[in-house]
Amino acid sequence: MPTQLETAMDTIIRTFYRYSSKEGDRFKLSKGELKLLLQQELTEFSCQKDPQLVDKIMQDLDANKDNKMDFNEFLVMVAALTVACNDYFVEQLKEKGK
Amino acid sequence: MPTQLETAMDTIIRTFYRYSSKEGDRFKLSKGELKLLLQQELTEFSCQKDPQLVDKIMQDLDANKDNKMDFNEFLVMVAALTVACNDYFVEQLKEKGK
């Protein structure tokens, strides 16, 4: 029986492939697939309003410049968002003086 | 309502703090806390049999050499394990010729 942490890691992998396999190379996210993933899976991140968001993310994270996002590039994005969430979480804790 | 991916990111954060707050600096994992986390939360990773595992991980990931693991160092570990799982997952897919 996988633990919560193992399930979380598995979810990150499965979410990637749920979108990357929609069209073209199923081991990579196209811009369209990335946009859909952001809209449907990262709804909490209000910066969604920025129409240039997908281009900016692709530009920053598309290490091999093939205009697609492979799993490792995707994981860098998820990790960066998780760090941002953690920073916010710690800030809240410290403000509450916990 | 958070999505599965957002819940996964939240789980990674909460798992870290569930162990880091057991003793000493509650924003960092001591060796003892890391060992407990590995044993209880990463049970699938059979390399657990290696008694030196905790030392090796701490040595590799303790970027600021304070003999403790902060959240970002922990996330690097989780990301590395997730990449390893993904590589295995892709290998299986390709072997099955899917």
Side-chain angles (χ1 to χ4, degrees):
Chain A
M1 169 77 182
T3 66
Q4 277 189 340
L5 183 56
E6 286 160 346
T7 304
M9 292 159 63
D10 190 59
T11 298
I12 293 171
I13 294 172
R14 290 184 189 283
T15 302
F16 176 82
Y17 287 100
R18 208 161 61 233
Y19 288 84
S20 68
S21 54
K22 285 180 187 292
E23 60 180 19
D25 182 342
R26 61 195 185 79
F27 293 110
K28 296 193 178 182
L29 287 171
S30 65
K31 258 192 193 172
E33 290 166 333
L34 172 60
K35 188 170 184 178
L36 206 57
L37 188 152
L38 289 173
Q39 287 169 344
Q40 295 180 352
E41 301 299 332
L42 291 169
T43 51
E44 303 270 320
F45 293 86
S46 55
C47 50
Q48 294 264 359
K49 307 294 174 296
D50 173 1
Q52 307 300 325
L53 179 65
V54 176
D55 291 315
K56 282 181 196 162
I57 290 177
M58 198 58 105
Q59 224 165 4
D60 287 351
L61 296 176
D62 180 16
N64 57 4
K65 296 304 169 207
D66 65 351
N67 218 17
K68 292 201 173 27
M69 188 180 266
D70 65 25
F71 180 76
N72 291 5
E73 293 163 345
F74 169 73
L75 194 56
V76 168
M77 179 184 80
V78 171
L81 292 173
T82 307
V83 166
C85 289
N86 179 66
D87 292 346
Y88 178 74
F89 180 69
V90 169
E91 220 177 85
Q92 300 297 302
L93 280 185
K94 288 184 175 173
E95 263 170 38
K96 283 184 215 154
K98 271 197 176 173
Chain B
M1 168 82 179
T3 66
Q4 275 190 341
L5 183 57
E6 287 160 347
T7 304
M9 292 159 63
D10 190 59
T11 299
I12 293 171
I13 294 172
R14 290 183 189 282
T15 302
F16 176 82
Y17 288 100
R18 205 162 62 236
Y19 288 83
S20 69
S21 54
K22 287 181 185 292
E23 61 181 19
D25 181 342
R26 61 192 184 81
F27 292 112
K28 295 192 177 182
L29 287 170
S30 65
K31 258 192 194 173
E33 289 166 335
L34 172 59
K35 188 170 184 178
L36 207 57
L37 187 152
L38 290 173
Q39 286 168 345
Q40 295 179 351
E41 301 298 332
L42 291 169
T43 53
E44 303 271 319
F45 293 86
S46 54
C47 49
Q48 296 262 357
K49 306 295 173 293
D50 173 0
Q52 308 300 326
L53 178 67
V54 176
D55 291 317
K56 281 180 195 160
I57 290 177
M58 197 57 107
Q59 223 167 7
D60 287 351
L61 295 178
D62 178 18
N64 58 5
K65 296 305 169 207
D66 65 352
N67 218 17
K68 290 198 173 30
M69 188 181 267
D70 65 25
F71 180 77
N72 291 5
E73 292 163 346
F74 169 73
L75 195 56
V76 168
M77 179 184 80
V78 171
L81 292 173
T82 307
V83 167
C85 288
N86 178 64
D87 291 346
Y88 179 75
F89 179 70
V90 169
E91 220 177 87
Q92 299 297 304
L93 281 184
K94 287 185 175 171
E95 261 170 37
K96 281 184 215 154
K98 271 197 175 167

